[in-house]
Amino acid sequence: MNALIRIALVGAVIGLGESVLVVCVSERNVLLAFLAMVFVPFPVSMALCWWGKLPHWWLVSVLGPMAVIFSFLLTLAVGVDASVAGDLGIGEWGGRLILMGVGAGAFAFAGALVMPMHRALRLTTLGVVVALCAASWVGADVIRMAGVTWQSASKGVPVVAPDLPEHRLVLADLEEGAVADVLRLSYERRFDQGDLSVLVASVREQTAREACESQSRMDGTPVGEGLPATCREVWGGSWVRTEVGSTSVLAVRGDALVEVQSAWLTEAQLLAVLPTVRPVDAWDLAAARRP
């Protein structure tokens, strides 16, 4: 078997072993999981590289685990962690397959650096791994947003968002609300960091009037912080809730019940946001996160 294929298999085994090890140990001791993730791959890699009769096995068995650890830290740095596998609906083994791919790529990169092989194969391997890493880095927001949109759709929550060119999306998450699951979108204004929150739920769960007159917002946050809040209907079936320190507007857009809330914007500005609400996908949400 080609040495490059053998070293990729070693990396896949290391990736699988680390995914299982971290899941099993982290439930009891986070520090122990971290130490195991850092040190266990080295002796296991050394044994597998020796057994697989890889050229320069002793050097590969050191560089390979270092590349795996760096790759795992890189995925965490861009915000793609184990929870994304669940958000994407690919299950536990889907997440493990991803980590096996990370391990295989990291070992292949290390092998291409030190093992004897044709120059064309060496450059091709290094180029492919670097290109995949770059794509993962650039596409990290899309991956995260794909998880949010898939999970929202699977829960029956419409995936809609407003068009806010002067704001940047800082958070997108599916939460358990007061009545049903709610998609939360948090924005900040680019020039002064003024915040704006958009909550989306299925119109089947509540009407705009019921949500407005409720003692809590759709995400379960208490209204008014113990102080009275007023609720009134305005044009087009929209409702306005005025409370101390902030204003919320609520309306139905298609099959979505939308609540827009801010302590910075006026009632007229919030009402102007509602007509811009439209169906979006992961690419749209990722684009809204750009600085």
Side-chain angles (χ1 to χ4, degrees):
M1 185 185 300
N2 183 280
L4 192 59
I5 297 177
R6 281 180 283 157
I7 194 172
L9 290 175
V10 172
V13 172
I14 295 296
L16 175 61
E18 289 214 343
S19 67
V20 174
L21 184 63
V22 171
V23 170
C24 292
V25 181
S26 60
E27 297 177 354
R28 300 177 177 84
N29 192 318
V30 175
L31 177 60
L32 182 59
F34 175 76
L35 294 175
M37 177 180 175
V38 171
F39 294 109
V40 169
F42 288 94
V44 175
S45 171
M46 188 170 295
L48 291 175
C49 289
W50 174 81
W51 181 70
K53 299 180 180 180
L54 293 173
H56 303 317
W57 64 269
W58 51 274
L59 186 56
V60 173
S61 65
V62 174
L63 293 180
M66 293 176 63
V68 170
I69 293 170
F70 176 79
S71 300
F72 283 3
L73 293 178
L74 181 64
T75 59
L76 294 177
V78 299
V80 180
D81 54 25
S83 64
V84 173
D87 293 343
L88 290 171
I90 59 179
E92 180 182 357
W93 269 103
R96 289 180 179 178
L97 287 174
I98 292 176
L99 296 181
M100 289 172 67
V102 171
F107 265 74
F109 184 83
L113 288 176
V114 300
M115 291 195 314
M117 63 179 65
H118 293 296
R119 178 178 297 180
L121 179 59
R122 186 190 308 277
L123 294 178
T124 300
T125 302
L126 295 176
V128 168
V129 174
V130 170
L132 289 175
C133 290
S136 299
W137 182 276
V138 173
D141 279 339
V142 177
I143 295 173
R144 288 195 296 268
M145 294 304 104
V148 173
T149 55
W150 185 92
Q151 195 177 36
S152 299
S154 67
K155 297 287 187 179
V157 179
V159 183
V160 299
D163 184 15
L164 300 171
E166 296 184 351
H167 290 72
R168 174 179 176 269
L169 179 65
V170 295
L171 174 68
D173 196 15
L174 185 68
E175 303 177 354
E176 184 176 348
V179 177
D181 292 319
V182 174
L183 173 63
R184 170 187 288 276
L185 304 172
S186 298
Y187 296 83
E188 66 176 15
R189 202 152 45 185
R190 298 180 188 276
F191 56 86
D192 63 0
Q193 283 73 55
D195 65 308
L196 181 147
S197 177
V198 178
L199 304 175
V200 182
S202 172
V203 73
R204 297 189 302 270
E205 306 298 339
Q206 271 185 311
T207 65
R209 178 175 182 176
E210 290 172 342
C212 184
E213 295 177 345
S214 173
Q215 296 302 308
S216 63
R217 299 189 182 92
M218 291 195 298
D219 63 349
T221 306
V223 170
E225 298 182 355
L227 299 175
T230 61
C231 186
R232 71 185 192 282
E233 186 178 12
V234 292
W235 55 265
S238 300
W239 289 76
V240 177
R241 180 199 298 124
T242 304
E243 52 189 299
V244 177
S246 70
T247 302
S248 303
V249 297
L250 301 97
V252 173
R253 288 292 176 266
D255 58 352
L257 174 61
V258 181
E259 177 177 347
V260 184
Q261 183 267 336
S262 176
W264 295 73
L265 301 183
T266 65
E267 176 183 315
Q269 290 174 315
L270 290 174
L271 287 171
V273 172
L274 290 177
T276 70
V277 173
R278 59 184 177 84
V280 295
D281 56 23
W283 293 96
D284 296 321
L285 294 178
R289 284 181 54 83
R290 295 171 187 165

